[in-house]
Each structure stands twice: as C-alpha cells, then as structure tokens.
Amino acid sequence: MNPVMVISYNSMVKNSCVRLMNTPLGTLRICGDDVGVTAVEFDDIDDFCMVGDLTTPVSMCITQLREYFEGKRTAFSVPLQPEGTQFQQKVWKALQRIPFAQKVSYRYIAEQIGARSGQRAVGNANNNNPIAILIPCHRVVGADGKLVGYAGGVWRKAWLLEHETKVAADDHLVLS
C-alpha cells in the first residue's frame, strides 16, 4: 500500500508505528510498538498515513491478517497490548478464547468472566474493543443468535462470520 503521507511521531513508547492494510472489508489501521499491537481499526477516513518505523508486532499482525483473509489462518499469535479497564481486559481475554467460526452470546461471555448479569457491560466492552478481528468481538451475537452491534458496522460482522464459516467448512473437506 502506498501511503499518502508519513508523519514523524514522538511517543513515550519507543518505536510507535501505524500502518494501513487493504482488506476485503476496507482499510484497516494497525497501531503498535515494539511490545505489541495496540489497535486494529476499520479506517473509513480518507486521511491515510504511516507513522514511525515498522515494528515486529505490527509486521506480524499484517502478515497474519493477510493469511486470515486468504483463508489460511484461523488463530493469531501476535502480541497484543490493548488499553482498557480491568473489566474490559477480562472481556477481551474471554473473547480470545472463542473458537474460530463459533458464535457465543453476550450472556455467555458475562458468565465466563463471573459477571452473570453483566451482558450490557460485556456489550459495552465489545464496543470499545480496540483490536478488531484478533480480539474477535464479531463472534458475539444476541441471545437469539441475531447479529447485533459492531463498531465496524454490522455488515462487516456478517462478512467476518460468513468468511470464518466458509474457511472452517473448507478446512474439514476430505479429498479422496
């Protein structure tokens, strides 16, 4: 991808960087540093830029997301450093345990983290998830199985779930 502009960026964390990646769902903005990826966000803004030198975690993220979209990857090993409250961190860790191509309810996640009546709080944490796809909040659906809410748009959530279902089905084909 050819960036429109490169910005010098001073940070308290050494070697912060931002890269953009074209995907079937539009542009993803990937942010991180030498420790881990801090954000993966759908970027619907026309002000595209790169920031800083490419870090290993951001490079890994780009590679693994490319493999994901190509149907060659079902799990991620990128170091993640999302910023959030203690509750949000618990929710995001629970989201990372949802198996590829599976859907769970907000209630299920609330129960997994010991907040039995915390479905709305889980929904709020999902909405504030800074690392799309790698922290798979798109796999959380309403209690009735319907697609509800997704910061990147429900149409993207539907696409991601359909993509994962197709990849999972293709992965189990037995060729004779």
Side-chain angles (χ1 to χ4, degrees):
M1 176 175 350
N2 294 324
V4 172
M5 98 179 79
V6 177
I7 297 175
S8 295
Y9 182 65
N10 293 325
S11 170
M12 293 176 61
V13 178
K14 186 177 179 184
N15 211 13
S16 294
C17 82
V18 176
R19 291 295 184 273
L20 299 170
M21 175 182 177
N22 288 324
T23 75
L25 298 172
T27 303
L28 283 176
R29 179 183 308 146
I30 303 165
C31 307
D33 54 37
D34 289 326
V35 177
V37 170
T38 57
V40 174
E41 305 167 315
F42 292 101
D43 189 337
D44 295 324
I45 303 169
D46 291 334
D47 186 19
F48 297 132
C49 66
M50 290 188 336
V51 174
D53 295 329
L54 182 63
T55 63
T56 299
V58 171
S59 178
M60 286 175 63
C61 185
I62 292 167
T63 298
Q64 291 184 21
L65 281 168
R66 185 173 299 117
E67 293 167 349
Y68 170 87
F69 284 111
E70 291 171 352
K72 298 175 184 174
R73 176 172 289 277
T74 60
F76 298 98
S77 60
V78 176
L80 304 178
Q81 295 290 317
E83 289 188 26
T85 67
Q86 188 175 22
F87 181 80
Q88 289 171 330
Q89 296 286 341
K90 285 175 75 172
V91 170
W92 299 336
K93 287 200 183 304
L95 296 176
Q96 291 175 72
R97 292 190 294 271
I98 304 171
F100 183 82
Q102 300 296 312
K103 294 182 272 189
V104 302
S105 69
Y106 292 96
R107 174 178 289 152
Y108 175 83
I109 295 297
E111 290 171 355
Q112 292 300 301
I113 63 168
R116 296 179 74 75
S117 60
Q119 298 95 300
R120 286 191 180 159
V122 166
N124 188 46
N126 260 21
N127 188 51
N128 289 296
N129 172 17
I131 304 180
I133 304 170
L134 285 80
I135 299 178
C137 57
H138 63 277
R139 296 181 189 152
V140 183
V141 297
D144 59 1
K146 290 185 180 176
L147 301 187
V148 292
Y150 187 65
V154 175
W155 70 272
R156 285 183 172 126
K157 182 174 191 167
W159 190 98
L160 291 165
L161 291 169
E162 288 173 26
H163 171 70
E164 291 184 3
T165 299
K166 181 178 185 272
V167 169
D170 291 347
D171 190 41
H172 296 333
L173 288 176
V174 178
L175 302 175
S176 50

